[in-house]
Every structure is written in structure tokens, then in C-alpha cells.
Amino acid sequence: MNTKWRFLSTGSHDPAYNMAVDEAILIAHSEGAVPPTVRFYGWQPPTLSIGYFQKSEEVDFERLEQEGLGFVRRPTGGRAVLHDKELTYSIIVAESYPGIPSGVTEAYRVLSEGLLLGFRKLGLDAQMVQLASEEDKSKYASMGSAACFDSPSWYELVVEGRKIAGSAQTRQKQVVLQHGSILLDMDTEQLFRVLRFKNERIQERLKQQFSQKAVAINDICRELGRPTVQLAEVEVAFREGVAEGLGVELEEGALTDYEQTLVQQLIADKYGNEAWNLRR
């Protein structure tokens, strides 16, 4: 079995480009044109992304524009995420790859093992908590919140009892795409400013709940009286962690010409197109 996977560090780009690249890799991999791929990237401008099934009415577009934020609908599920001071990752691998479980939940656990190791390499006591019941889930979720970190999966990465990574998954063309946010810092105030709520009281209550349940790496560092971490340090820890967690070797690579062509097509047809982004 070839355990060499491609590693891409594509830097910071606009939201349409970022989502188009993830899907282009998925398509190319489904056709056998590229190997399984792990990608790290960032966002310029900072961007609000919403889940595939989420209603765009939950977003205050006027506020987004005032604050200079980008916007995109992801191909994956989950809720709204504000991408700013973070390392975003994606993992793209065929469902048939040895060791990838067929169930979404178990596949999430396997693919997130490397994230767990990444947090630990930064010296954080991260745990993967199995949420066995709806009751467990409710401890980490706030009903009615549009924010992604409030929307737990059956396995949750937590530090000091708070959720520290938000991930989402889709399966298309017999390929799994999982991507998510590894937050260095989090601006909860801004996230809740750009989402719509029935009234201010609900907004405030959900914001308080969110703050108690979600945490960024540097929040923990400050609480522990440790130096905060920089993006470069986080990249190294997570590249090592993901390789170790998946039991693979990550080789530096680049997008192929075919993938670049797909990216431009996907920007035009989907991610750069209002019909896709606002469709619900």
C-alpha cells in the first residue's frame, strides 16, 4: 500500500477559491488523477462560511459588508464559521482507502486522530470525547444557534471540557472530504454580530453559551499562563500530527494543471456565484 500522500500548503485566498480547491481535489482524486491529499490554508479576507444545508437568511449581509468579511457556502454540512485567525485543513481520500470506515462518524474519528495529536504536540491536553447520547450532545450544543462550534458531531475534540476544533464532512464520487478550523484566536463578538437572531435577548444568551463551550488555542495558552502560539508553529505541529495519526508520509506537492482548471470552473459555477451561495 502506498502510504505517501500529497501535502499542499496553499496560503491565504478568497473564499470562492478556497472551497473550489477542496472540491477540485476531490474530483481529481475520484478520477485517480492525484493521490490522497492533506491541505492547509487560510482566508483573505476573513470569511463567514455557512453549511451546505444552512439558510442564508441566518446571515446579516449588510453587517458582513460593513466589517469587510467574505462569504461562501461550503460543500459540507454544519453551521456558520468565521474564518480568521486559524489554520484551516482539508483531508481528501477515497472511501475505499484501507482503514477509512464507511460510517461518517467513525471516519470522522479516524481522520481527526491527527488533529488530536496536533493539539498534543502543542502541549495541550486534548481529548477525543465520544458523545454516546443526545444528552451528551446537548452539553456541547446550544439549540437554535447558527454557529458551527455549537453543532457537535458524535466525536468531539475538547480541551478543558471545551470544544477546540470544528470539522465537517461530505462524501461525493466515493471520496471523503473532511475540512475544518483549528482556531488560534476567536472573535465571538464578531461572529454573533454577523448572524441574525430573533431578538437581542436570544442572541446574548446563545453568545454566552457559545463562549462557555468553544475555545481557541491561544485562549487556553493565556489561561495556563503559557506563551501564545503563532501560525507557523501550529502548521508544523498539525502536519506532524496528521501524518502520524493517518500513518502516512506527507510529501510536499502542488495543484496540477487539471485541478487549476477545475478550480476556475467551480468558482464560476458555484462558489463565486450568488445562485449557489444564497440558494436557500
Side-chain angles (χ1 to χ4, degrees):
M1 182 177 85
N2 183 6
T3 56
K4 287 192 167 137
W5 288 28
R6 178 176 60 160
F7 175 73
L8 302 176
S9 182
T10 54
S12 294
H13 289 277
D14 67 76
Y17 180 87
N18 275 339
M19 292 300 89
V21 170
D22 276 356
E23 188 171 339
I25 298 168
L26 181 151
I27 294 167
H29 183 53
S30 76
E31 294 168 1
V34 299
T37 299
V38 173
R39 173 183 171 226
F40 287 175
Y41 56 102
W43 303 74
Q44 192 53 44
T47 292
L48 185 79
S49 77
I50 62 171
Y52 180 80
F53 299 104
Q54 200 168 358
K55 292 182 169 65
S56 56
E57 296 89 78
E58 293 179 17
V59 178
D60 184 338
F61 287 99
E62 208 175 305
R63 200 63 191 250
L64 271 187
E65 204 170 315
Q66 284 169 5
E67 307 217 1
L69 299 175
F71 173 76
V72 72
R73 181 182 294 279
R74 301 187 304 273
T76 50
R79 314 294 285 160
V81 183
L82 183 57
H83 304 280
D84 188 2
K85 298 180 175 73
E86 68 174 51
L87 173 65
T88 315
Y89 78 91
S90 59
I91 300 173
I92 294 112
V93 60
E95 291 179 314
S96 60
Y97 188 86
I100 299 295
S102 57
V104 172
T105 306
E106 287 304 312
Y108 173 80
R109 181 185 59 76
V110 168
L111 295 177
S112 301
E113 188 65 36
L115 305 181
L116 182 68
L117 294 174
F119 286 117
R120 288 181 178 169
K121 285 176 188 294
L122 290 172
L124 299 179
D125 182 20
Q127 309 291 332
M128 197 172 318
V129 177
Q130 184 170 5
L131 305 180
S133 66
E134 289 296 340
E135 190 187 350
D136 284 353
K137 268 193 160 189
S138 70
K139 285 183 201 162
Y140 291 94
S142 309
M143 292 309 290
S145 171
C148 186
F149 267 51
D150 255 5
S151 173
S153 47
W154 288 105
Y155 287 99
E156 214 56 272
L157 283 170
V158 300
V159 172
E160 307 279 333
R162 283 168 294 173
K163 184 169 177 174
I164 196 163
S167 298
Q169 209 183 89
T170 185
R171 289 167 182 247
Q172 299 168 33
K173 305 176 189 294
Q174 284 81 55
V175 173
V176 181
L177 159 61
Q178 180 172 306
H179 55 195
S181 301
I182 297 157
L183 299 184
L184 277 74
D185 289 285
M186 176 166 54
D187 189 341
T188 304
E189 295 291 334
Q190 186 175 43
L191 172 61
F192 278 77
R193 276 199 307 273
V194 297
L195 295 174
R196 289 186 187 281
F197 298 89
K198 286 198 176 75
N199 58 51
E200 280 182 18
R201 192 172 49 80
I202 290 174
Q203 180 179 19
E204 195 52 42
R205 179 168 59 81
L206 291 173
K207 187 169 69 179
Q208 293 301 328
Q209 287 180 355
F210 180 90
S211 300
Q212 288 160 13
K213 289 177 181 132
V215 69
I217 292 171
N218 283 331
D219 294 332
I220 297 273
C221 290
R222 284 186 278 267
E223 285 172 17
L224 297 174
R226 288 177 32 182
T228 55
V229 296
Q230 302 302 312
L231 185 61
E233 198 182 334
V234 174
E235 283 203 18
V236 169
F238 279 86
R239 183 175 173 177
E240 288 175 5
V242 169
E244 203 176 305
L246 293 169
V248 300
E249 198 181 321
L250 293 178
E251 286 194 323
E252 294 274 354
L255 289 170
T256 62
D257 290 346
Y258 175 50
E259 286 169 311
Q260 297 277 18
T261 303
L262 287 171
V263 167
Q264 295 313 314
Q265 196 180 316
L266 286 160
I267 289 172
D269 295 349
K270 282 171 88 166
Y271 302 108
N273 188 323
E274 278 201 351
W276 160 265
N277 284 322
L278 305 180
R279 70 178 206 286
R280 288 170 195 275

